[in-house]
Amino acid sequence: MAHSRLKFLGVAGVALMLLAACGSSNNTPAAKVYKIGLVTDIGGLNDKSFNHLADLGLEKAKTDFKIQGDVVESKSGDDYVPNLTNFASKKYDLVIGVGFLMQTAMGTVSGQFPTVNFAIIDGAGTDANFNDLKHPNVQSLYFSEQDAGAMVGALAGLLEKQNKAKKNAGVISAVGGISIPPVNHYIAGYKWAATMVDPGIKVLVGYSNDFTDPAKCKNVAANQISSKADILFQVAGGCGLGVLQAAGQAGVYSVGVDADQKDADPSVIASALKKVDIATYTAIQNVVNGKFAGGALTFNIANDGAGYALDNLTVSADIQAALDDLKAKIKAGTLTPPADIPA
Amino acid sequence: MAAIRRIAGGFAVPLGSVVFAFLVGGLIVAVTGGNPFAAYQGLLCGGLGIACSTTTGENPALQISTTIVFFTPLLMTGVAVALPFRAGLFNIGAEGQLLAGSVACTIIGIKFSSLPAPILLPMVLIGGTLAGAIWAGVPGVLKATIGAHEVVTTIMLNYIAQWLVRFLIVGGPLQAANGFSASTPIGAGARLPLFLPNDPGLVIFGLPAGVYRVHTGLLIGLVALVVFAVVLWRTSLGYEIRAVGQSQRAARYGGINVARTIIITMLIAGAFSGLAGAIQIAGVDHNLTDKYFNDTTGFDAIAVALLGLGSAVGILFASILFGALHAGGSVMQADAGISSSLVQILQALILFSIAANFLRVLRFPTLGLRRPAKAPPRATTP
Amino acid sequence: MNFLSDIGHVLLTADLWRATLEAAALLLLPALGGVISERSGVVNIAMEGMMLTGAFFAVVADLAWHNPWLAALVGIAAGGSMALIHAVVSIRFRADQIVSGIAINIFAAGLTLFLVQRIFGLQDVGHVGQSELLPYINVPVLDQIPFFGRVLFQQNVVVYAAIVLLVVVQLMLFRTRLGLRIRSVGEHPQAADTAGINVYAIRYGAVITSGLLSGLAGAFLAIGISNTFVPNMTDGRGYIALAAVIFGKWTPIGAFVACLIFGFGQAIYDANSVIHVSQYLLSMLPYILTLVVLAGVVGRSIPPAADGVPYAPENE
């Protein structure tokens, strides 16, 4: 299993270095093995979205740096505090929490261990009222999901406007998991961009209240399809895979989220990307290079932390040009997708 | 000496079941390429604070504290399932009753947040207890009056409770701030005191005192177990409950009001579960969060009640076991890389071997453990 | 009242009722299994676990062999295997059947998760290709009937199978000798034994059948409705099926009615993008409806007399 192999490699690596150090007469100390702890959210590591991506970032860091990376999956909200505390109490060099839902837990634990470095994806260490406590040992890794949502929203709008979608009734839709900010940011950008590109467009928004059961999302999507939606954006993690499938079966288009989901279904024409793996890797890199600092890092389209990918579709040159133009404008700050879903 | 041997004998079967489960579990781990010793060391260390390795550096006191926090609600929800079993009812609705208690506690804790602790804390706990009682009382009444099967009604109410929680905190009246799927926190007076003060300067066993989250709800849970045992074995109500559980017809001929007994049993069961829910909010979470969308305490309680053979002592040990497995699972994954789903496999194996040994247990005179409760006898003809 | 007209519009769409029937069929399969098992006297609350197991192994098989029919068989067999465990523990070891049922559910949840991590590690579980799923079949000619064509004749092959099974099981239980034997074993096993019926064989058969049906439902969910395995994807449907069994007074037709109510509730809820009322209040609908119908119409549900009692003949 990866971890025992890693530990063996780690020990062997350290042993080799010690040998090398003994062999040579220099006085460089043996390289430190940084201990990184990753606490995932309840979706688990195979959620095909950001828990998985965070783990990928950790794995990449393992190949590039001398780190010991341990992962714990939280099975429920009860596990956030104990899992974070476990790593912190063992004085890990970096404890990463994945997810918006563990903000208060992060606030509590980071306050109890001011000498341990923490990072949290999609949030901050907060108090019970969700006010950012701004602990200096916590680095928030925020994403401007609306940037990614805007790109795919623009694509959807352009396709509808040029009647290049499947039903071309001027209706597109989004299926959200739960109505929380990371989900709503995506949808906000999507709706904003689509409406900007095609003012007459209608954007249906539905929530499945579930991140795990694909059948639920499939039905929500089916309803939207019967209301003539022909480009469906899934923002519902594992459940959202059902959206992609529903689109495929109905012969319309779909858009994936977080990771590139082109293999999930042939109907996927694009994915809104949230590079959680890059963020995780960056946080670890900062610690290894001694550059860790509290505060917030934002990953957006400007620094390539959010973006989009075209899947299973070749777009015409003018659509591509329009997308590139929008991307440049968002990067430059001339256009800013909203964080809240426009009315 | 003989008494000790009998008590030990009473433990032999459940203990043997646990050993059996760990053996089979170890086999599964080994067969799929993992290291069972590392896995079990992780479980033991994380669950009970023993056999912690010095290289990984777990703090035993912290682990024990986490286990206690996990098993505290199981004490009461275990009773909430075990008591109706004695009356021949299957309370699969402990989860919904717990949620009702959590909701009530949160609402009262928020609405009256300015009240001081001596007033507010009893209010939220009593409120949660009453809410849970009502949540179970409805199925009780339906069963007693028209014979509506409690499995159906309690499952329905489980779902209704879950959706109620969602309604309240996702875009609903209790929501903390826009976009957060959690409620505002309850007032400071509604919080159950911790055993250790949350003083940042205080260091115990090498860690700041605040990490030990054991709260006084534990005491309430232990008292609840005693109450359960006393009610069941020392009161006339308890006698009636057990009589109804054995045979409704015989009980009726004996002059017992079966309908009334059923209703009261469910009310009490719901009260225990609602109390557990209130204690979780008041002692641990301090607000209603979306963790309750897929909370499984009420279902674990069924396993705990069955594993504990329906007795107070059994529920205590079964709760500790489940809490320890829960806490141990995370450490096992962090240290040994084994998915904590192994914990569920172990739980299932324990239940299987307990179940398969069941009849043999019934044949031993078990002092120290009372007569184990059987599953609800299905002959519900009046 | 905006939402009333929204609901009205949705109620008139064929898609809503099509979705209702599909969801009902998914619940019906385990419910039929539950009916058979309990009619023979073995309490079976393990439908959830058997479904989940079936779902997992169906996906694994389909990813490996790219054949939905074989994969469905694997799923069915997996469900049956789980049921076999329940049968052995309950019948041979005379264990408490509720404990065994709960244990199966916990075991299935843990085992599938464990295997996902062991087999797929960090990778995605993987998606079954569109052409390798259990197909939706549009019955020619009939599916062109306005409204009803869409509702009844554009369903997945498993839905048709479920309806057929409904009729088969109903007839079998109440009109054949086999059904009579099953029911007598569930009511008076001693008398049945004396009359020469092999109680154990009947019960084993009934429990395993319930596993096969639940496994099929799991396969339907994973490689028919969906195209991958997501941990805990059954999401409590097994328990709903149990409620349907009891609500339906241990008859297939009765259970089906309950499944339709739940299916309807699910379908209405999924239409929340087009109905402007709190989706959470909307989703309580099927459960409240069930309570009302139960209280008002169904009333007392009396299980088979020997349900849940392990058979222990006097002369053993």
Side-chain angles (χ1 to χ4, degrees), chain B residues 93-357:
Chain B
E95 182 61 35
Q97 293 140 26
L98 183 147
L99 289 176
S102 303
V103 166
C105 171
T106 310
I107 292 178
I108 299 176
I110 294 176
K111 203 105 179 33
F112 299 101
S113 57
S114 50
L115 291 179
I119 304 181
L120 188 53
L121 186 54
M123 269 175 73
V124 297
L125 292 180
I126 293 176
T129 310
L130 286 177
I134 296 174
W135 216 253
V138 168
V141 167
L142 287 174
K143 171 93 183 189
T145 51
I146 52 173
H149 202 292
E150 72 278 6
V151 169
V152 183
T153 47
T154 50
I155 288 181
M156 295 301 111
L157 284 168
N158 277 349
Y159 281 101
I160 295 176
Q162 273 185 344
W163 287 108
L164 184 63
V165 171
R166 271 178 221 219
F167 169 69
L168 288 173
I169 66 178
V170 185
L174 292 181
Q175 189 175 25
N178 195 19
F180 293 95
S181 50
S183 75
T184 46
I186 54 178
R191 300 184 185 204
L192 279 169
L194 302 177
F195 273 103
L196 294 170
N198 195 357
D199 176 359
L202 186 59
V203 173
I204 299 190
F205 293 119
L207 291 175
V211 309
Y212 304 107
R213 298 175 302 143
V214 183
H215 54 89
T216 39
L218 172 66
L219 296 176
I220 301 180
L222 293 171
V223 167
L225 277 181
V226 172
V227 168
F228 163 62
V230 164
V231 165
L232 194 58
W233 298 103
R234 297 248 185 272
T235 64
S236 56
L237 173 65
Y239 170 77
E240 285 167 12
I241 292 175
R242 286 179 285 122
V244 166
Q246 297 283 17
S247 161
Q248 284 193 8
R249 176 179 290 164
R252 195 166 284 126
Y253 285 158
I256 296 175
N257 184 336
V258 172
R260 191 189 78 114
T261 306
I262 289 177
I263 296 176
I264 294 187
T265 305
M266 289 304 286
L267 283 172
I268 298 178
F272 275 105
S273 220
L275 179 61
I279 287 180
Q280 273 300 94
I281 300 283
V284 183
D285 302 320
H286 307 309
N287 66 348
L288 198 59
T289 64
D290 51 24
K291 88 166 197 205
Y292 286 106
F293 294 171
N294 28 42
D295 184 57
T296 56
T297 314
F299 293 101
D300 292 337
I302 300 176
V304 161
L306 294 170
L307 190 62
L309 304 178
S311 77
V313 174
I315 291 176
L316 175 65
F317 282 102
S319 301
I320 294 177
L321 176 66
F322 269 62
L325 285 174
H326 188 175
S330 304
V331 172
M332 176 174 70
Q333 183 169 34
D335 291 351
I338 306 289
S339 163
S340 47
S341 47
L342 179 68
V343 162
Q344 282 173 297
I345 296 179
L346 288 172
Q347 287 171 344
L349 289 170
I350 294 174
L351 280 173
F352 276 131
S353 58
I354 284 267
N357 277 323

Side-chain angles (χ1 to χ4, degrees), chain A:
Chain A
M1 181 45 274
H3 285 112
S4 27
R5 231 181 294 143
L6 172 78
K7 281 207 176 120
F8 171 77
L9 277 174
V11 170
V14 174
L16 279 172
M17 276 185 294
L18 284 176
L19 273 175
C22 290
S24 65
S25 57
N26 62 26
N27 50 11
T28 43
K32 173 182 158 101
V33 174
Y34 290 90
K35 294 198 279 187
I36 314 285
L38 180 68
V39 179
T40 73
D41 209 336
I42 55 180
L45 286 171
N46 299 88
D47 67 343
K48 302 179 205 300
S49 111
F50 60 86
N51 284 321
H52 179 68
L53 287 173
D55 201 23
L56 286 180
L58 177 66
E59 288 299 310
K60 179 153 194 297
K62 280 182 189 171
T63 58
D64 290 354
F65 310 117
K66 290 214 175 358
I67 62 172
Q68 170 193 324
D70 295 322
V71 184
V72 174
E73 288 168 291
S74 304
K75 288 286 150 76
S76 80
D78 289 323
D79 294 333
Y80 297 148
V81 168
N83 287 346
L84 291 169
T85 310
N86 274 345
F87 284 134
S89 67
K90 296 194 282 188
K91 300 268 178 280
Y92 269 48
D93 296 294
L94 179 63
V95 181
I96 307 175
V98 181
F100 172 80
L101 298 174
M102 58 174 89
Q103 289 184 100
T104 39
M106 180 59 75
T108 307
V109 180
S110 63
Q112 288 164 341
F113 294 93
T115 54
V116 175
N117 295 329
F118 293 86
I120 175 170
I121 296 188
D122 267 353
T126 67
D127 64 8
N129 276 308
F130 298 99
N131 300 315
D132 188 350
L133 291 167
K134 298 202 200 306
H135 285 153
N137 57 335
V138 178
Q139 183 170 63
S140 296
L141 306 168
Y142 288 112
F143 292 83
S144 299
E145 293 98 346
Q146 56 268 33
D147 288 357
M151 294 313 300
V152 296
L155 174 66
L158 287 165
L159 289 172
E160 286 291 326
K161 190 167 174 193
Q162 297 185 4
N163 288 328
K164 286 191 181 147
K166 293 289 189 149
K167 292 199 239 175
N168 297 314
V171 182
I172 61 174
S173 70
V175 178
I178 302 185
S179 179
I180 55 175
V183 169
N184 289 336
H185 290 164
Y186 273 119
I187 300 179
Y190 180 72
K191 188 171 177 183
W192 170 81
T195 327
M196 189 174 64
V197 157
D198 180 0
I201 205 169
K202 192 165 161 205
V203 182
L204 301 172
V205 177
Y207 294 92
S208 62
N209 277 298
D210 194 282
F211 282 113
T212 52
D213 181 7
K216 284 216 174 74
C217 284
K218 191 175 179 197
N219 284 326
V220 178
N223 269 289
Q224 294 174 337
I225 293 172
S226 49
S227 297
K228 309 216 184 93
D230 61 353
I231 303 181
L232 288 81
F233 182 22
Q234 80 100 334
V235 198
C239 176
L241 302 171
V243 175
L244 310 178
Q245 200 190 6
Q249 286 175 348
V252 295
Y253 288 144
S254 65
V255 176
V257 77
D258 289 341
D260 192 340
Q261 298 187 323
K262 70 170 179 292
D263 294 323
D265 193 278
S267 67
V268 177
I269 57 168
S271 298
L273 302 176
K274 177 169 165 173
K275 305 205 181 161
V276 177
D277 49 340
I278 293 186
T280 311
Y281 183 87
T282 309
I284 298 174
Q285 185 177 44
N286 284 340
V287 167
V288 170
N289 293 338
K291 294 213 199 90
F292 178 87
L297 287 180
T298 308
F299 293 85
N300 53 23
I301 212 166
N303 58 20
D304 214 28
Y308 75 110
L310 289 173
D311 306 313
N312 302 325
L313 179 79
T314 21
V315 291
S316 61
D318 62 314
I319 291 188
Q320 186 64 60
L323 289 174
D324 293 336
D325 179 62
L326 177 63
K327 185 170 175 180
K329 288 208 170 90
I330 298 179
K331 266 186 164 168
T334 341
L335 283 175
T336 312
D340 297 314
I341 305 178

Side-chain angles (χ1 to χ4, degrees), chain C:
Chain C
M1 289 272 241
N2 212 0
F3 75 89
L4 279 180
S5 73
D6 285 337
I7 295 186
H9 279 132
V10 167
L11 281 180
L12 291 175
T13 62
D15 279 315
L16 179 87
W17 299 102
R18 197 207 68 80
T20 298
L21 187 55
E22 181 174 88
L26 181 62
L27 291 170
L28 178 62
L29 287 167
L32 285 175
V35 168
I36 297 176
S37 173
E38 302 224 356
R39 279 284 178 179
S40 82
V42 179
V43 170
N44 190 345
I45 59 174
M47 274 91 81
E48 180 79 3
M50 300 188 296
M51 253 178 93
L52 190 62
T53 314
F56 175 74
F57 284 101
V59 170
V60 171
D62 210 356
L63 287 172
W65 300 328
H66 304 286
N67 180 329
W69 309 105
L70 271 181
L73 280 175
V74 170
I76 293 173
S81 310
M82 274 293 174
L84 184 59
I85 301 176
H86 180 52
V88 168
V89 172
S90 305
I91 302 174
R92 162 75 180 81
F93 289 96
R94 305 199 184 123
D96 184 319
Q97 293 160 15
I98 300 220
V99 181
S100 175
I102 296 274
I104 296 265
N105 291 340
I106 299 178
F107 185 57
L111 184 69
T112 51
L113 253 179
F114 186 77
L115 288 176
V116 163
Q117 198 224 22
R118 281 275 156 226
I119 298 178
F120 299 97
L122 288 183
Q123 307 305 315
D124 287 344
V125 170
H127 299 265
V128 175
Q130 181 87 315
S131 55
E132 295 157 5
L133 297 174
L134 292 167
Y136 281 79
I137 298 187
N138 297 338
V139 177
V141 177
L142 289 172
D143 73 333
Q144 297 306 319
I145 302 174
F147 193 84
F148 288 104
R150 173 103 181 103
V151 174
L152 296 174
F153 299 112
Q154 290 183 9
Q155 294 279 6
N156 191 293
V157 61
V158 180
V159 175
Y160 301 126
I163 301 296
V164 169
L165 283 167
L166 169 66
V167 175
V168 164
V169 174
Q170 175 79 19
L171 287 175
M172 185 273 290
L173 268 183
F174 295 104
R175 296 248 187 265
T176 67
R177 266 228 316 241
L178 174 61
L180 188 57
R181 286 188 180 156
I182 294 176
R183 284 184 293 126
S184 64
V185 162
E187 299 282 346
H188 299 288
Q190 305 277 19
D193 196 6
T194 317
I197 299 175
N198 187 337
V199 174
Y200 296 114
I202 295 272
R203 285 187 169 178
Y204 268 103
V207 175
I208 293 177
T209 303
S210 77
L212 299 175
L213 287 167
S214 295
L216 175 60
F220 177 32
L221 178 62
I223 58 172
I225 296 180
S226 183
N227 64 1
T228 183
F229 179 78
V230 178
N232 287 317
M233 69 189 300
T234 46
D235 214 23
R237 287 182 176 87
Y239 289 106
I240 301 269
L242 174 67
V245 168
I246 301 176
F247 179 96
K249 296 196 183 175
W250 288 273
T251 64
I253 301 278
F256 184 49
V257 171
C259 292
L260 281 172
I261 296 179
F262 293 122
F264 173 73
Q266 180 69 56
I268 278 279
Y269 170 76
D270 290 332
N272 72 72
S273 353
V274 297
I275 300 179
H276 298 94
V277 74
S278 165
Q279 45 191 287
Y280 309 115
L281 294 180
L282 203 56
S283 53
M284 292 188 205
L285 206 61
Y287 310 110
I288 299 179
L289 191 59
T290 306
L291 276 177
V292 168
V293 175
L294 187 67
V297 174
V298 174
R300 187 175 297 273
S301 300
I302 300 176
D307 199 15
V309 181
Y311 182 53
E314 269 101 62
N315 52 8
E316 254 187 26

